[in-house]
PDB file of all heavy atoms in Angstrom:
ATOM      1  N   LEU A   1    -224.576 -36.654-125.335  1.00 98.00           N
ATOM      2  CA  LEU A   1    -223.564 -36.791-126.377  1.00 98.00           C
ATOM      3  C   LEU A   1    -222.792 -38.109-126.242  1.00 98.00           C
ATOM      4  O   LEU A   1    -222.581 -38.830-127.229  1.00 98.00           O
ATOM      5  CB  LEU A   1    -222.596 -35.608-126.309  1.00 98.00           C
ATOM      6  CG  LEU A   1    -221.398 -35.632-127.253  1.00 98.00           C
ATOM      7  CD1 LEU A   1    -221.854 -35.617-128.712  1.00 98.00           C
ATOM      8  CD2 LEU A   1    -220.468 -34.449-126.977  1.00 98.00           C
ATOM      9  N   LEU A   2    -222.381 -38.442-125.026  1.00 98.00           N
ATOM     10  CA  LEU A   2    -221.617 -39.681-124.820  1.00 98.00           C
ATOM     11  C   LEU A   2    -222.463 -40.898-125.165  1.00 98.00           C
ATOM     12  O   LEU A   2    -221.960 -41.891-125.721  1.00 98.00           O
ATOM     13  CB  LEU A   2    -221.111 -39.764-123.378  1.00 98.00           C
ATOM     14  CG  LEU A   2    -220.173 -38.643-122.917  1.00 98.00           C
ATOM     15  CD1 LEU A   2    -219.527 -38.986-121.585  1.00 98.00           C
ATOM     16  CD2 LEU A   2    -219.122 -38.333-123.967  1.00 98.00           C
ATOM     17  N   ASP A   3    -223.751 -40.816-124.842  1.00 97.00           N
ATOM     18  CA  ASP A   3    -224.650 -41.920-125.192  1.00 97.00           C
ATOM     19  C   ASP A   3    -224.758 -42.051-126.713  1.00 97.00           C
ATOM     20  O   ASP A   3    -224.719 -43.159-127.258  1.00 97.00           O
ATOM     21  CB  ASP A   3    -226.022 -41.686-124.572  1.00 97.00           C
ATOM     22  CG  ASP A   3    -226.975 -42.835-124.823  1.00 97.00           C
ATOM     23  OD1 ASP A   3    -226.687 -43.961-124.373  1.00 97.00           O
ATOM     24  OD2 ASP A   3    -228.021 -42.609-125.474  1.00 97.00           O
ATOM     25  N   ALA A   4    -224.874 -40.913-127.409  1.00 97.00           N
ATOM     26  CA  ALA A   4    -224.983 -40.941-128.868  1.00 97.00           C
ATOM     27  C   ALA A   4    -223.716 -41.487-129.513  1.00 97.00           C
ATOM     28  O   ALA A   4    -223.773 -42.134-130.576  1.00 97.00           O
ATOM     29  CB  ALA A   4    -225.273 -39.536-129.385  1.00 97.00           C
ATOM     30  N   LEU A   5    -222.569 -41.249-128.882  1.00 97.00           N
ATOM     31  CA  LEU A   5    -221.291 -41.731-129.400  1.00 97.00           C
ATOM     32  C   LEU A   5    -221.031 -43.190-129.021  1.00 97.00           C
ATOM     33  O   LEU A   5    -220.036 -43.784-129.462  1.00 97.00           O
ATOM     34  CB  LEU A   5    -220.144 -40.856-128.883  1.00 97.00           C
ATOM     35  CG  LEU A   5    -220.068 -39.435-129.459  1.00 97.00           C
ATOM     36  CD1 LEU A   5    -219.118 -38.575-128.641  1.00 97.00           C
ATOM     37  CD2 LEU A   5    -219.645 -39.467-130.924  1.00 97.00           C
ATOM     38  N   GLY A   6    -221.891 -43.735-128.163  1.00 97.00           N
ATOM     39  CA  GLY A   6    -221.716 -45.117-127.727  1.00 97.00           C
ATOM     40  C   GLY A   6    -220.573 -45.301-126.759  1.00 97.00           C
ATOM     41  O   GLY A   6    -219.986 -46.393-126.660  1.00 97.00           O
ATOM     42  N   ILE A   7    -220.249 -44.261-125.996  1.00 98.00           N
ATOM     43  CA  ILE A   7    -219.140 -44.319-125.044  1.00 98.00           C
ATOM     44  C   ILE A   7    -219.689 -44.629-123.655  1.00 98.00           C
ATOM     45  O   ILE A   7    -220.553 -43.914-123.141  1.00 98.00           O
ATOM     46  CB  ILE A   7    -218.359 -42.993-125.016  1.00 98.00           C
ATOM     47  CG1 ILE A   7    -217.803 -42.679-126.403  1.00 98.00           C
ATOM     48  CG2 ILE A   7    -217.230 -43.055-123.987  1.00 98.00           C
ATOM     49  CD1 ILE A   7    -217.113 -41.331-126.502  1.00 98.00           C
ATOM     50  N   SER A   8    -219.198 -45.684-123.038  1.00 96.00           N
ATOM     51  CA  SER A   8    -219.660 -46.087-121.716  1.00 96.00           C
ATOM     52  C   SER A   8    -219.127 -45.139-120.650  1.00 96.00           C
ATOM     53  O   SER A   8    -217.985 -44.661-120.734  1.00 96.00           O
ATOM     54  CB  SER A   8    -219.196 -47.517-121.408  1.00 96.00           C
ATOM     55  OG  SER A   8    -219.737 -48.432-122.345  1.00 96.00           O
ATOM     56  N   LEU A   9    -219.935 -44.888-119.639  1.00 97.00           N
ATOM     57  CA  LEU A   9    -219.505 -44.059-118.518  1.00 97.00           C
ATOM     58  C   LEU A   9    -218.645 -44.871-117.562  1.00 97.00           C
ATOM     59  O   LEU A   9    -218.771 -46.094-117.458  1.00 97.00           O
ATOM     60  CB  LEU A   9    -220.715 -43.516-117.762  1.00 97.00           C
ATOM     61  CG  LEU A   9    -221.670 -42.589-118.510  1.00 97.00           C
ATOM     62  CD1 LEU A   9    -222.790 -42.138-117.585  1.00 97.00           C
ATOM     63  CD2 LEU A   9    -220.942 -41.380-119.074  1.00 97.00           C
ATOM     64  N   THR A  10    -217.776 -44.163-116.857  1.00 98.00           N
ATOM     65  CA  THR A  10    -217.026 -44.740-115.747  1.00 98.00           C
ATOM     66  C   THR A  10    -217.455 -44.026-114.476  1.00 98.00           C
ATOM     67  O   THR A  10    -218.205 -43.038-114.527  1.00 98.00           O
ATOM     68  CB  THR A  10    -215.519 -44.551-115.956  1.00 98.00           C
ATOM     69  OG1 THR A  10    -215.226 -43.135-115.910  1.00 98.00           O
ATOM     70  CG2 THR A  10    -215.054 -45.127-117.282  1.00 98.00           C
ATOM     71  N   HIS A  11    -216.982 -44.494-113.347  1.00 98.00           N
ATOM     72  CA  HIS A  11    -217.296 -43.804-112.100  1.00 98.00           C
ATOM     73  C   HIS A  11    -216.827 -42.356-112.163  1.00 98.00           C
ATOM     74  O   HIS A  11    -217.536 -41.436-111.742  1.00 98.00           O
ATOM     75  CB  HIS A  11    -216.639 -44.519-110.916  1.00 98.00           C
ATOM     76  CG  HIS A  11    -216.860 -43.825-109.612  1.00 98.00           C
ATOM     77  ND1 HIS A  11    -216.028 -42.826-109.144  1.00 98.00           N
ATOM     78  CD2 HIS A  11    -217.840 -43.958-108.677  1.00 98.00           C
ATOM     79  CE1 HIS A  11    -216.476 -42.386-107.985  1.00 98.00           C
ATOM     80  NE2 HIS A  11    -217.571 -43.050-107.673  1.00 98.00           N
ATOM     81  N   GLY A  12    -215.636 -42.132-112.711  1.00 98.00           N
ATOM     82  CA  GLY A  12    -215.077 -40.778-112.767  1.00 98.00           C
ATOM     83  C   GLY A  12    -215.872 -39.846-113.651  1.00 98.00           C
ATOM     84  O   GLY A  12    -216.124 -38.687-113.287  1.00 98.00           O
ATOM     85  N   THR A  13    -216.295 -40.325-114.841  1.00 98.00           N
ATOM     86  CA  THR A  13    -217.068 -39.459-115.731  1.00 98.00           C
ATOM     87  C   THR A  13    -218.460 -39.208-115.158  1.00 98.00           C
ATOM     88  O   THR A  13    -218.996 -38.102-115.270  1.00 98.00           O
ATOM     89  CB  THR A  13    -217.183 -40.058-117.146  1.00 98.00           C
ATOM     90  OG1 THR A  13    -217.718 -41.377-117.068  1.00 98.00           O
ATOM     91  CG2 THR A  13    -215.838 -40.095-117.826  1.00 98.00           C
ATOM     92  N   ALA A  14    -219.034 -40.227-114.527  1.00 98.00           N
ATOM     93  CA  ALA A  14    -220.353 -40.051-113.908  1.00 98.00           C
ATOM     94  C   ALA A  14    -220.288 -39.031-112.779  1.00 98.00           C
ATOM     95  O   ALA A  14    -221.164 -38.162-112.655  1.00 98.00           O
ATOM     96  CB  ALA A  14    -220.873 -41.392-113.382  1.00 98.00           C
ATOM     97  N   GLU A  15    -219.240 -39.091-111.963  1.00 98.00           N
ATOM     98  CA  GLU A  15    -219.098 -38.144-110.860  1.00 98.00           C
ATOM     99  C   GLU A  15    -218.910 -36.724-111.388  1.00 98.00           C
ATOM    100  O   GLU A  15    -219.481 -35.762-110.835  1.00 98.00           O
ATOM    101  CB  GLU A  15    -217.914 -38.545-109.979  1.00 98.00           C
ATOM    102  CG  GLU A  15    -217.772 -37.699-108.729  1.00 98.00           C
ATOM    103  CD  GLU A  15    -216.683 -38.215-107.820  1.00 98.00           C
ATOM    104  OE1 GLU A  15    -215.503 -38.264-108.251  1.00 98.00           O
ATOM    105  OE2 GLU A  15    -216.991 -38.573-106.667  1.00 98.00           O
ATOM    106  N   ALA A  16    -218.141 -36.577-112.463  1.00 98.00           N
ATOM    107  CA  ALA A  16    -217.915 -35.248-113.050  1.00 98.00           C
ATOM    108  C   ALA A  16    -219.221 -34.670-113.595  1.00 98.00           C
ATOM    109  O   ALA A  16    -219.520 -33.479-113.400  1.00 98.00           O
ATOM    110  CB  ALA A  16    -216.861 -35.338-114.150  1.00 98.00           C
ATOM    111  N   LEU A  17    -220.006 -35.490-114.273  1.00 98.00           N
ATOM    112  CA  LEU A  17    -221.259 -34.997-114.846  1.00 98.00           C
ATOM    113  C   LEU A  17    -222.304 -34.742-113.763  1.00 98.00           C
ATOM    114  O   LEU A  17    -223.095 -33.793-113.866  1.00 98.00           O
ATOM    115  CB  LEU A  17    -221.788 -35.989-115.875  1.00 98.00           C
ATOM    116  CG  LEU A  17    -220.960 -36.088-117.156  1.00 98.00           C
ATOM    117  CD1 LEU A  17    -221.525 -37.149-118.086  1.00 98.00           C
ATOM    118  CD2 LEU A  17    -220.884 -34.740-117.869  1.00 98.00           C
ATOM    119  N   TYR A  18    -222.315 -35.558-112.720  1.00 98.00           N
ATOM    120  CA  TYR A  18    -223.238 -35.302-111.612  1.00 98.00           C
ATOM    121  C   TYR A  18    -222.877 -33.978-110.943  1.00 98.00           C
ATOM    122  O   TYR A  18    -223.762 -33.177-110.603  1.00 98.00           O
ATOM    123  CB  TYR A  18    -223.182 -36.446-110.599  1.00 98.00           C
ATOM    124  CG  TYR A  18    -224.293 -36.391-109.577  1.00 98.00           C
ATOM    125  CD1 TYR A  18    -225.539 -36.930-109.852  1.00 98.00           C
ATOM    126  CD2 TYR A  18    -224.103 -35.773-108.341  1.00 98.00           C
ATOM    127  CE1 TYR A  18    -226.575 -36.866-108.924  1.00 98.00           C
ATOM    128  CE2 TYR A  18    -225.123 -35.695-107.410  1.00 98.00           C
ATOM    129  CZ  TYR A  18    -226.353 -36.249-107.706  1.00 98.00           C
ATOM    130  OH  TYR A  18    -227.376 -36.162-106.791  1.00 98.00           O
ATOM    131  N   THR A  19    -221.581 -33.723-110.776  1.00 98.00           N
ATOM    132  CA  THR A  19    -221.117 -32.447-110.219  1.00 98.00           C
ATOM    133  C   THR A  19    -221.584 -31.289-111.098  1.00 98.00           C
ATOM    134  O   THR A  19    -222.041 -30.255-110.599  1.00 98.00           O
ATOM    135  CB  THR A  19    -219.585 -32.445-110.095  1.00 98.00           C
ATOM    136  OG1 THR A  19    -219.186 -33.453-109.157  1.00 98.00           O
ATOM    137  CG2 THR A  19    -219.064 -31.091-109.634  1.00 98.00           C
ATOM    138  N   ALA A  20    -221.470 -31.462-112.410  1.00 98.00           N
ATOM    139  CA  ALA A  20    -221.906 -30.418-113.349  1.00 98.00           C
ATOM    140  C   ALA A  20    -223.378 -30.083-113.145  1.00 98.00           C
ATOM    141  O   ALA A  20    -223.764 -28.915-113.070  1.00 98.00           O
ATOM    142  CB  ALA A  20    -221.662 -30.882-114.784  1.00 98.00           C
ATOM    143  N   ILE A  21    -224.196 -31.109-113.013  1.00 98.00           N
ATOM    144  CA  ILE A  21    -225.646 -30.900-112.934  1.00 98.00           C
ATOM    145  C   ILE A  21    -226.060 -30.331-111.584  1.00 98.00           C
ATOM    146  O   ILE A  21    -226.846 -29.376-111.517  1.00 98.00           O
ATOM    147  CB  ILE A  21    -226.387 -32.218-113.236  1.00 98.00           C
ATOM    148  CG1 ILE A  21    -226.154 -32.631-114.696  1.00 98.00           C
ATOM    149  CG2 ILE A  21    -227.883 -32.074-112.946  1.00 98.00           C
ATOM    150  CD1 ILE A  21    -226.621 -34.029-115.037  1.00 98.00           C
ATOM    151  N   ILE A  22    -225.521 -30.868-110.491  1.00 97.00           N
ATOM    152  CA  ILE A  22    -226.000 -30.388-109.187  1.00 97.00           C
ATOM    153  C   ILE A  22    -225.499 -28.982-108.863  1.00 97.00           C
ATOM    154  O   ILE A  22    -226.184 -28.222-108.184  1.00 97.00           O
ATOM    155  CB  ILE A  22    -225.668 -31.355-108.024  1.00 97.00           C
ATOM    156  CG1 ILE A  22    -224.168 -31.532-107.826  1.00 97.00           C
ATOM    157  CG2 ILE A  22    -226.358 -32.678-108.206  1.00 97.00           C
ATOM    158  CD1 ILE A  22    -223.844 -32.322-106.553  1.00 97.00           C
ATOM    159  N   THR A  23    -224.336 -28.623-109.367  1.00 96.00           N
ATOM    160  CA  THR A  23    -223.861 -27.269-109.076  1.00 96.00           C
ATOM    161  C   THR A  23    -224.641 -26.227-109.863  1.00 96.00           C
ATOM    162  O   THR A  23    -224.980 -25.163-109.335  1.00 96.00           O
ATOM    163  CB  THR A  23    -222.357 -27.131-109.365  1.00 96.00           C
ATOM    164  OG1 THR A  23    -222.071 -27.607-110.685  1.00 96.00           O
ATOM    165  CG2 THR A  23    -221.531 -27.915-108.360  1.00 96.00           C
ATOM    166  N   ASP A  24    -224.979 -26.528-111.117  1.00 95.00           N
ATOM    167  CA  ASP A  24    -225.679 -25.520-111.924  1.00 95.00           C
ATOM    168  C   ASP A  24    -227.177 -25.461-111.646  1.00 95.00           C
ATOM    169  O   ASP A  24    -227.829 -24.487-112.018  1.00 95.00           O
ATOM    170  CB  ASP A  24    -225.430 -25.745-113.415  1.00 95.00           C
ATOM    171  CG  ASP A  24    -224.611 -24.621-114.028  1.00 95.00           C
ATOM    172  OD1 ASP A  24    -223.720 -24.089-113.337  1.00 95.00           O
ATOM    173  OD2 ASP A  24    -224.856 -24.256-115.188  1.00 95.00           O
ATOM    174  N   THR A  25    -227.715 -26.493-111.015  1.00 95.00           N
ATOM    175  CA  THR A  25    -229.138 -26.453-110.636  1.00 95.00           C
ATOM    176  C   THR A  25    -229.310 -26.114-109.158  1.00 95.00           C
ATOM    177  O   THR A  25    -230.431 -26.141-108.649  1.00 95.00           O
ATOM    178  CB  THR A  25    -229.824 -27.803-110.915  1.00 95.00           C
ATOM    179  OG1 THR A  25    -229.182 -28.832-110.145  1.00 95.00           O
ATOM    180  CG2 THR A  25    -229.794 -28.155-112.396  1.00 95.00           C
ATOM    181  N   GLY A  26    -228.210 -25.779-108.474  1.00 92.00           N
ATOM    182  CA  GLY A  26    -228.298 -25.466-107.047  1.00 92.00           C
ATOM    183  C   GLY A  26    -228.798 -26.644-106.241  1.00 92.00           C
ATOM    184  O   GLY A  26    -229.639 -26.503-105.359  1.00 92.00           O
ATOM    185  N   ASN A  27    -228.234 -27.843-106.564  1.00 94.00           N
ATOM    186  CA  ASN A  27    -228.673 -29.069-105.896  1.00 94.00           C
ATOM    187  C   ASN A  27    -230.167 -29.288-106.135  1.00 94.00           C
ATOM    188  O   ASN A  27    -230.914 -29.660-105.237  1.00 94.00           O
ATOM    189  CB  ASN A  27    -228.346 -29.046-104.409  1.00 94.00           C
ATOM    190  CG  ASN A  27    -227.887 -30.392-103.894  1.00 94.00           C
ATOM    191  OD1 ASN A  27    -227.860 -31.364-104.638  1.00 94.00           O
ATOM    192  ND2 ASN A  27    -227.542 -30.454-102.623  1.00 94.00           N
ATOM    193  N   PHE A  28    -230.598 -29.021-107.377  1.00 95.00           N
ATOM    194  CA  PHE A  28    -231.977 -29.218-107.844  1.00 95.00           C
ATOM    195  C   PHE A  28    -232.965 -28.249-107.197  1.00 95.00           C
ATOM    196  O   PHE A  28    -234.151 -28.554-107.094  1.00 95.00           O
ATOM    197  CB  PHE A  28    -232.434 -30.668-107.630  1.00 95.00           C
ATOM    198  CG  PHE A  28    -231.460 -31.679-108.156  1.00 95.00           C
ATOM    199  CD1 PHE A  28    -230.827 -32.570-107.311  1.00 95.00           C
ATOM    200  CD2 PHE A  28    -231.147 -31.721-109.509  1.00 95.00           C
ATOM    201  CE1 PHE A  28    -229.903 -33.491-107.796  1.00 95.00           C
ATOM    202  CE2 PHE A  28    -230.228 -32.637-110.008  1.00 95.00           C
ATOM    203  CZ  PHE A  28    -229.606 -33.524-109.147  1.00 95.00           C
ATOM    204  N   ALA A  29    -232.477 -27.068-106.816  1.00 90.00           N
ATOM    205  CA  ALA A  29    -233.349 -26.075-106.187  1.00 90.00           C
ATOM    206  C   ALA A  29    -233.686 -24.915-107.118  1.00 90.00           C
ATOM    207  O   ALA A  29    -234.606 -24.154-106.827  1.00 90.00           O
ATOM    208  CB  ALA A  29    -232.700 -25.529-104.915  1.00 90.00           C
ATOM    209  N   TYR A  30    -232.943 -24.750-108.219  1.00 88.00           N
ATOM    210  CA  TYR A  30    -233.158 -23.602-109.095  1.00 88.00           C
ATOM    211  C   TYR A  30    -234.241 -23.891-110.133  1.00 88.00           C
ATOM    212  O   TYR A  30    -234.582 -25.046-110.419  1.00 88.00           O
ATOM    213  CB  TYR A  30    -231.867 -23.223-109.820  1.00 88.00           C
ATOM    214  CG  TYR A  30    -230.742 -22.744-108.933  1.00 88.00           C
ATOM    215  CD1 TYR A  30    -229.429 -22.729-109.408  1.00 88.00           C
ATOM    216  CD2 TYR A  30    -230.969 -22.310-107.632  1.00 88.00           C
ATOM    217  CE1 TYR A  30    -228.377 -22.293-108.616  1.00 88.00           C
ATOM    218  CE2 TYR A  30    -229.918 -21.873-106.831  1.00 88.00           C
ATOM    219  CZ  TYR A  30    -228.621 -21.871-107.319  1.00 88.00           C
ATOM    220  OH  TYR A  30    -227.582 -21.449-106.539  1.00 88.00           O
ATOM    221  N   SER A  31    -234.739 -22.819-110.747  1.00 88.00           N
ATOM    222  CA  SER A  31    -235.828 -22.941-111.715  1.00 88.00           C
ATOM    223  C   SER A  31    -235.410 -23.655-112.995  1.00 88.00           C
ATOM    224  O   SER A  31    -236.264 -24.087-113.777  1.00 88.00           O
ATOM    225  CB  SER A  31    -236.383 -21.554-112.058  1.00 88.00           C
ATOM    226  OG  SER A  31    -235.370 -20.750-112.653  1.00 88.00           O
ATOM    227  N   ASN A  32    -234.098 -23.790-113.237  1.00 91.00           N
ATOM    228  CA  ASN A  32    -233.652 -24.482-114.450  1.00 91.00           C
ATOM    229  C   ASN A  32    -233.674 -25.998-114.293  1.00 91.00           C
ATOM    230  O   ASN A  32    -233.405 -26.731-115.242  1.00 91.00           O
ATOM    231  CB  ASN A  32    -232.247 -24.016-114.852  1.00 91.00           C
ATOM    232  CG  ASN A  32    -231.201 -24.274-113.783  1.00 91.00           C
ATOM    233  OD1 ASN A  32    -231.513 -24.432-112.609  1.00 91.00           O
ATOM    234  ND2 ASN A  32    -229.942 -24.294-114.183  1.00 91.00           N
ATOM    235  N   THR A  33    -234.001 -26.501-113.103  1.00 95.00           N
ATOM    236  CA  THR A  33    -234.099 -27.940-112.881  1.00 95.00           C
ATOM    237  C   THR A  33    -235.336 -28.477-113.608  1.00 95.00           C
ATOM    238  O   THR A  33    -236.433 -27.946-113.470  1.00 95.00           O
ATOM    239  CB  THR A  33    -234.226 -28.260-111.387  1.00 95.00           C
ATOM    240  OG1 THR A  33    -233.128 -27.672-110.679  1.00 95.00           O
ATOM    241  CG2 THR A  33    -234.224 -29.762-111.149  1.00 95.00           C
ATOM    242  N   SER A  34    -235.142 -29.531-114.379  1.00 96.00           N
ATOM    243  CA  SER A  34    -236.246 -30.130-115.118  1.00 96.00           C
ATOM    244  C   SER A  34    -236.329 -31.623-114.793  1.00 96.00           C
ATOM    245  O   SER A  34    -235.456 -32.185-114.117  1.00 96.00           O
ATOM    246  CB  SER A  34    -236.036 -29.961-116.625  1.00 96.00           C
ATOM    247  OG  SER A  34    -234.925 -30.736-117.055  1.00 96.00           O
ATOM    248  N   ALA A  35    -237.361 -32.260-115.325  1.00 97.00           N
ATOM    249  CA  ALA A  35    -237.474 -33.713-115.165  1.00 97.00           C
ATOM    250  C   ALA A  35    -236.261 -34.404-115.783  1.00 97.00           C
ATOM    251  O   ALA A  35    -235.744 -35.394-115.238  1.00 97.00           O
ATOM    252  CB  ALA A  35    -238.766 -34.202-115.818  1.00 97.00           C
ATOM    253  N   ASP A  36    -235.782 -33.874-116.909  1.00 96.00           N
ATOM    254  CA  ASP A  36    -234.601 -34.459-117.554  1.00 96.00           C
ATOM    255  C   ASP A  36    -233.362 -34.328-116.669  1.00 96.00           C
ATOM    256  O   ASP A  36    -232.501 -35.218-116.665  1.00 96.00           O
ATOM    257  CB  ASP A  36    -234.350 -33.788-118.908  1.00 96.00           C
ATOM    258  CG  ASP A  36    -235.353 -34.216-119.970  1.00 96.00           C
ATOM    259  OD1 ASP A  36    -235.982 -35.287-119.800  1.00 96.00           O
ATOM    260  OD2 ASP A  36    -235.520 -33.482-120.949  1.00 96.00           O
ATOM    261  N   SER A  37    -233.254 -33.210-115.924  1.00 97.00           N
ATOM    262  CA  SER A  37    -232.131 -33.042-115.000  1.00 97.00           C
ATOM    263  C   SER A  37    -232.135 -34.151-113.957  1.00 97.00           C
ATOM    264  O   SER A  37    -231.094 -34.751-113.639  1.00 97.00           O
ATOM    265  CB  SER A  37    -232.211 -31.683-114.292  1.00 97.00           C
ATOM    266  OG  SER A  37    -232.283 -30.615-115.198  1.00 97.00           O
TER     267      SER A  37
END
């Protein structure tokens, strides 16, 4: 979404989104982990 809106990431937003992804994928161990993840 942020890419589509043309909004640049900052260190803080990148860290927040990385936290979102690694916690919900179990640090990339769960079956919901994909190549896109």
Side-chain angles (χ1 to χ4, degrees):
L1 175 62
L2 299 191
D3 184 62
L5 289 166
I7 301 175
S8 299
L9 297 181
T10 65
H11 177 272
T13 55
E15 186 174 61
L17 291 177
Y18 191 84
T19 296
I21 294 169
I22 62 172
T23 51
D24 247 35
T25 60
N27 219 357
F28 310 117
Y30 296 162
S31 62
N32 60 339
T33 305
S34 68
D36 286 339
S37 305

